Tab-separated table of all heavy atoms in Angstrom:
chain	number	residue	atom	x	y	z
A	27	GLU	N	89.527	56.087	12.335
A	27	GLU	CA	88.952	57.133	11.489
A	27	GLU	C	89.781	58.421	11.527
A	27	GLU	O	90.013	59.047	10.487
A	27	GLU	CB	87.503	57.424	11.910
A	27	GLU	CG	86.766	58.319	10.957
A	27	GLU	CD	86.613	57.761	9.544
A	27	GLU	OE1	86.453	56.529	9.385
A	27	GLU	OE2	86.656	58.568	8.594
A	28	ASN	N	90.240	58.820	12.704
A	28	ASN	CA	91.055	60.020	12.837
A	28	ASN	C	92.353	59.896	12.044
A	28	ASN	O	92.776	60.833	11.366
A	28	ASN	CB	91.348	60.302	14.315
A	28	ASN	CG	92.128	61.580	14.501
A	28	ASN	OD1	91.727	62.636	14.016
A	28	ASN	ND2	93.262	61.486	15.188
A	29	ASP	N	92.988	58.733	12.120
A	29	ASP	CA	94.219	58.516	11.366
A	29	ASP	C	93.951	58.522	9.865
A	29	ASP	O	94.748	59.057	9.087
A	29	ASP	CB	94.880	57.193	11.770
A	29	ASP	CG	95.447	57.241	13.177
A	29	ASP	OD1	96.031	58.281	13.549
A	29	ASP	OD2	95.299	56.240	13.904
A	30	LEU	N	92.843	57.963	9.469
A	30	LEU	CA	92.485	57.946	8.053
A	30	LEU	C	92.296	59.373	7.534
A	30	LEU	O	92.739	59.701	6.432
A	30	LEU	CB	91.225	57.109	7.835
A	30	LEU	CG	90.849	56.819	6.395
A	30	LEU	CD1	91.968	56.117	5.632
A	30	LEU	CD2	89.587	55.974	6.349
A	31	GLU	N	91.689	60.223	8.329
A	31	GLU	CA	91.517	61.628	7.945
A	31	GLU	C	92.865	62.330	7.812
A	31	GLU	O	93.097	63.066	6.848
A	31	GLU	CB	90.652	62.357	8.969
A	31	GLU	CG	89.188	61.999	8.896
A	31	GLU	CD	88.362	62.710	9.971
A	31	GLU	OE1	88.725	63.838	10.360
A	31	GLU	OE2	87.365	62.119	10.406
A	32	ILE	N	93.737	62.124	8.781
A	32	ILE	CA	95.061	62.742	8.754
A	32	ILE	C	95.843	62.263	7.540
A	32	ILE	O	96.447	63.067	6.809
A	32	ILE	CB	95.837	62.424	10.055
A	32	ILE	CG1	95.209	63.171	11.222
A	32	ILE	CG2	97.323	62.758	9.915
A	32	ILE	CD1	95.696	62.715	12.596
A	33	LEU	N	95.834	60.968	7.301
A	33	LEU	CA	96.589	60.407	6.179
A	33	LEU	C	95.998	60.830	4.836
A	33	LEU	O	96.738	61.019	3.862
A	33	LEU	CB	96.658	58.891	6.299
A	33	LEU	CG	97.490	58.400	7.489
A	33	LEU	CD1	97.304	56.903	7.694
A	33	LEU	CD2	98.962	58.750	7.307
A	34	THR	N	94.692	61.018	4.787
A	34	THR	CA	94.066	61.498	3.558
A	34	THR	C	94.517	62.925	3.259
A	34	THR	O	94.865	63.244	2.111
A	34	THR	CB	92.529	61.420	3.666
A	34	THR	OG1	92.157	60.050	3.836
A	34	THR	CG2	91.851	61.993	2.433
A	35	LYS	N	94.532	63.776	4.259
A	35	LYS	CA	95.001	65.156	4.070
A	35	LYS	C	96.465	65.164	3.647
A	35	LYS	O	96.859	65.931	2.759
A	35	LYS	CB	94.794	65.972	5.341
A	35	LYS	CG	93.348	66.281	5.620
A	35	LYS	CD	93.177	67.011	6.932
A	35	LYS	CE	91.706	67.188	7.263
A	35	LYS	NZ	91.502	67.716	8.609
A	36	TYR	N	97.276	64.327	4.288
A	36	TYR	CA	98.684	64.194	3.917
A	36	TYR	C	98.801	63.796	2.447
A	36	TYR	O	99.551	64.400	1.675
A	36	TYR	CB	99.354	63.145	4.813
A	36	TYR	CG	100.654	62.606	4.277
A	36	TYR	CD1	101.839	63.296	4.472
A	36	TYR	CD2	100.687	61.403	3.573
A	36	TYR	CE1	103.035	62.799	3.975
A	36	TYR	CE2	101.871	60.898	3.079
A	36	TYR	CZ	103.057	61.601	3.269
A	36	TYR	OH	104.235	61.114	2.770
A	37	ALA	N	98.036	62.784	2.042
A	37	ALA	CA	98.098	62.273	0.674
A	37	ALA	C	97.653	63.335	-0.338
A	37	ALA	O	98.235	63.438	-1.424
A	37	ALA	CB	97.240	61.024	0.544
A	38	GLU	N	96.651	64.109	0.001
A	38	GLU	CA	96.203	65.179	-0.893
A	38	GLU	C	97.319	66.194	-1.108
A	38	GLU	O	97.535	66.672	-2.226
A	38	GLU	CB	94.958	65.853	-0.330
A	38	GLU	CG	93.728	64.977	-0.407
A	38	GLU	CD	92.541	65.508	0.378
A	38	GLU	OE1	92.699	66.466	1.173
A	38	GLU	OE2	91.439	64.945	0.198
A	39	LYS	N	98.032	66.510	-0.043
A	39	LYS	CA	99.133	67.474	-0.134
A	39	LYS	C	100.281	66.931	-0.982
A	39	LYS	O	100.801	67.641	-1.847
A	39	LYS	CB	99.641	67.859	1.263
A	39	LYS	CG	98.622	68.570	2.119
A	39	LYS	CD	98.297	69.918	1.538
A	39	LYS	CE	97.284	70.668	2.369
A	39	LYS	NZ	96.874	71.904	1.722
A	40	ILE	N	100.692	65.690	-0.738
A	40	ILE	CA	101.818	65.176	-1.523
A	40	ILE	C	101.395	64.898	-2.970
A	40	ILE	O	102.222	64.988	-3.880
A	40	ILE	CB	102.512	63.941	-0.893
A	40	ILE	CG1	101.592	62.719	-0.838
A	40	ILE	CG2	103.106	64.287	0.464
A	40	ILE	CD1	102.312	61.425	-0.500
A	41	GLY	N	100.117	64.593	-3.180
A	41	GLY	CA	99.632	64.399	-4.543
A	41	GLY	C	99.715	65.678	-5.355
A	41	GLY	O	100.194	65.680	-6.497
A	42	LEU	N	99.284	66.775	-4.766
A	42	LEU	CA	99.377	68.059	-5.452
A	42	LEU	C	100.833	68.478	-5.605
A	42	LEU	O	101.238	68.982	-6.663
A	42	LEU	CB	98.576	69.126	-4.702
A	42	LEU	CG	98.395	70.451	-5.431
A	42	LEU	CD1	97.749	70.261	-6.800
A	42	LEU	CD2	97.574	71.406	-4.579
A	43	ALA	N	101.626	68.237	-4.573
A	43	ALA	CA	103.052	68.557	-4.643
A	43	ALA	C	103.736	67.778	-5.770
A	43	ALA	O	104.586	68.323	-6.479
A	43	ALA	CB	103.730	68.255	-3.306
A	44	PHE	N	103.362	66.519	-5.948
A	44	PHE	CA	103.938	65.708	-7.019
A	44	PHE	C	103.688	66.374	-8.370
A	44	PHE	O	104.593	66.479	-9.198
A	44	PHE	CB	103.338	64.300	-7.002
A	44	PHE	CG	104.008	63.362	-7.967
A	44	PHE	CD1	105.017	62.530	-7.534
A	44	PHE	CD2	103.622	63.316	-9.295
A	44	PHE	CE1	105.649	61.665	-8.426
A	44	PHE	CE2	104.240	62.466	-10.194
A	44	PHE	CZ	105.262	61.639	-9.762
A	45	GLN	N	102.467	66.841	-8.582
A	45	GLN	CA	102.135	67.473	-9.859
A	45	GLN	C	102.856	68.801	-10.033
A	45	GLN	O	103.327	69.107	-11.126
A	45	GLN	CB	100.629	67.681	-9.981
A	45	GLN	CG	100.226	68.201	-11.341
A	45	GLN	CD	100.615	67.269	-12.468
A	45	GLN	OE1	100.281	66.098	-12.438
A	45	GLN	NE2	101.340	67.767	-13.457
A	46	ILE	N	102.934	69.590	-8.974
A	46	ILE	CA	103.649	70.869	-9.069
A	46	ILE	C	105.105	70.609	-9.428
A	46	ILE	O	105.674	71.272	-10.297
A	46	ILE	CB	103.528	71.678	-7.761
A	46	ILE	CG1	102.070	72.082	-7.522
A	46	ILE	CG2	104.427	72.914	-7.813
A	46	ILE	CD1	101.799	72.656	-6.135
A	47	ARG	N	105.724	69.618	-8.767
A	47	ARG	CA	107.121	69.279	-9.071
A	47	ARG	C	107.249	68.799	-10.514
A	47	ARG	O	108.204	69.143	-11.205
A	47	ARG	CB	107.646	68.223	-8.090
A	47	ARG	CG	109.094	67.855	-8.302
A	47	ARG	CD	110.016	69.028	-8.068
A	47	ARG	NE	111.394	68.630	-8.285
A	47	ARG	CZ	112.386	69.466	-8.470
A	47	ARG	NH1	112.165	70.778	-8.418
A	47	ARG	NH2	113.602	69.043	-8.672
A	48	ASP	N	106.275	68.033	-10.972
A	48	ASP	CA	106.290	67.562	-12.351
A	48	ASP	C	106.257	68.746	-13.316
A	48	ASP	O	106.990	68.770	-14.313
A	48	ASP	CB	105.095	66.638	-12.594
A	48	ASP	CG	105.280	65.771	-13.808
A	48	ASP	OD1	106.266	65.012	-13.851
A	48	ASP	OD2	104.445	65.841	-14.727
A	49	ASP	N	105.426	69.728	-13.022
A	49	ASP	CA	105.351	70.924	-13.862
A	49	ASP	C	106.663	71.699	-13.842
A	49	ASP	O	107.101	72.216	-14.881
A	49	ASP	CB	104.205	71.828	-13.399
A	49	ASP	CG	102.828	71.231	-13.656
A	49	ASP	OD1	102.733	70.184	-14.335
A	49	ASP	OD2	101.846	71.820	-13.157
A	50	ILE	N	107.295	71.772	-12.684
A	50	ILE	CA	108.589	72.454	-12.574
A	50	ILE	C	109.639	71.705	-13.392
A	50	ILE	O	110.402	72.311	-14.146
A	50	ILE	CB	109.016	72.586	-11.096
A	50	ILE	CG1	108.095	73.572	-10.373
A	50	ILE	CG2	110.478	73.013	-10.978
A	50	ILE	CD1	108.234	73.570	-8.855
A	51	LEU	N	109.665	70.384	-13.247
A	51	LEU	CA	110.645	69.594	-14.002
A	51	LEU	C	110.406	69.695	-15.505
A	51	LEU	O	111.366	69.683	-16.286
A	51	LEU	CB	110.600	68.132	-13.556
A	51	LEU	CG	111.156	67.853	-12.163
A	51	LEU	CD1	110.888	66.402	-11.768
A	51	LEU	CD2	112.643	68.167	-12.094
A	52	SER	N	109.157	69.823	-15.908
A	52	SER	CA	108.853	69.983	-17.334
A	52	SER	C	109.383	71.303	-17.875
A	52	SER	O	109.550	71.460	-19.078
A	52	SER	CB	107.342	69.898	-17.578
A	52	SER	OG	106.901	68.580	-17.384
A	53	GLU	N	109.640	72.224	-16.979
A	53	GLU	CA	110.168	73.532	-17.361
A	53	GLU	C	111.693	73.600	-17.275
A	53	GLU	O	112.342	74.143	-18.168
A	53	GLU	CB	109.544	74.606	-16.460
A	53	GLU	CG	109.960	76.017	-16.769
A	53	GLU	CD	109.340	76.548	-18.053
A	53	GLU	OE1	108.333	75.998	-18.530
A	53	GLU	OE2	109.883	77.529	-18.591
A	54	ILE	N	112.261	73.052	-16.208
A	54	ILE	CA	113.698	73.248	-15.971
A	54	ILE	C	114.472	71.956	-15.720
A	54	ILE	O	115.648	71.989	-15.373
A	54	ILE	CB	113.942	74.208	-14.786
A	54	ILE	CG1	113.377	73.616	-13.492
A	54	ILE	CG2	113.396	75.594	-15.083
A	54	ILE	CD1	113.807	74.336	-12.238
A	55	GLY	N	113.826	70.814	-15.894
A	55	GLY	CA	114.487	69.544	-15.615
A	55	GLY	C	115.539	69.194	-16.642
A	55	GLY	O	115.706	69.863	-17.664
A	56	ASP	N	116.251	68.128	-16.390
A	56	ASP	CA	117.270	67.607	-17.290
A	56	ASP	C	116.610	66.550	-18.178
A	56	ASP	O	116.150	65.519	-17.688
A	56	ASP	CB	118.405	66.990	-16.463
A	56	ASP	CG	119.542	66.462	-17.295
A	56	ASP	OD1	119.327	66.086	-18.473
A	56	ASP	OD2	120.664	66.398	-16.771
A	57	GLU	N	116.587	66.815	-19.470
A	57	GLU	CA	115.925	65.902	-20.407
A	57	GLU	C	116.477	64.482	-20.322
A	57	GLU	O	115.729	63.512	-20.443
A	57	GLU	CB	116.045	66.418	-21.843
A	57	GLU	CG	115.173	67.610	-22.111
A	57	GLU	CD	115.165	68.045	-23.566
A	57	GLU	OE1	115.564	67.259	-24.450
A	57	GLU	OE2	114.737	69.177	-23.819
A	58	LYS	N	117.775	64.364	-20.104
A	58	LYS	CA	118.397	63.034	-20.025
A	58	LYS	C	117.902	62.276	-18.797
A	58	LYS	O	117.708	61.071	-18.846
A	58	LYS	CB	119.912	63.152	-20.011
A	58	LYS	CG	120.480	63.619	-21.328
A	58	LYS	CD	121.980	63.780	-21.267
A	58	LYS	CE	122.471	64.333	-22.590
A	58	LYS	NZ	123.856	64.738	-22.558
């Protein structure tokens, strides 16, 4: 259970980070 909690928090962080990076790439990424 403790590991599941830790991994859930980790996943929430990388999930939000993925979206933030996606928003950044939508602004300054390389279209190609």
Side-chain angles (χ1 to χ4, degrees):
E27 189 61 35
N28 183 53
D29 290 320
L30 189 57
E31 286 178 31
I32 290 168
L33 293 170
T34 298
K35 289 176 186 172
Y36 162 83
E38 289 169 349
K39 296 294 180 186
I40 65 168
L42 190 56
F44 187 95
Q45 186 60 53
I46 295 169
R47 182 63 180 163
D48 199 58
D49 291 352
I50 291 168
L51 289 173
S52 289
E53 182 73 19
I54 63 168
D56 182 333
E57 287 186 17
K58 291 178 184 170

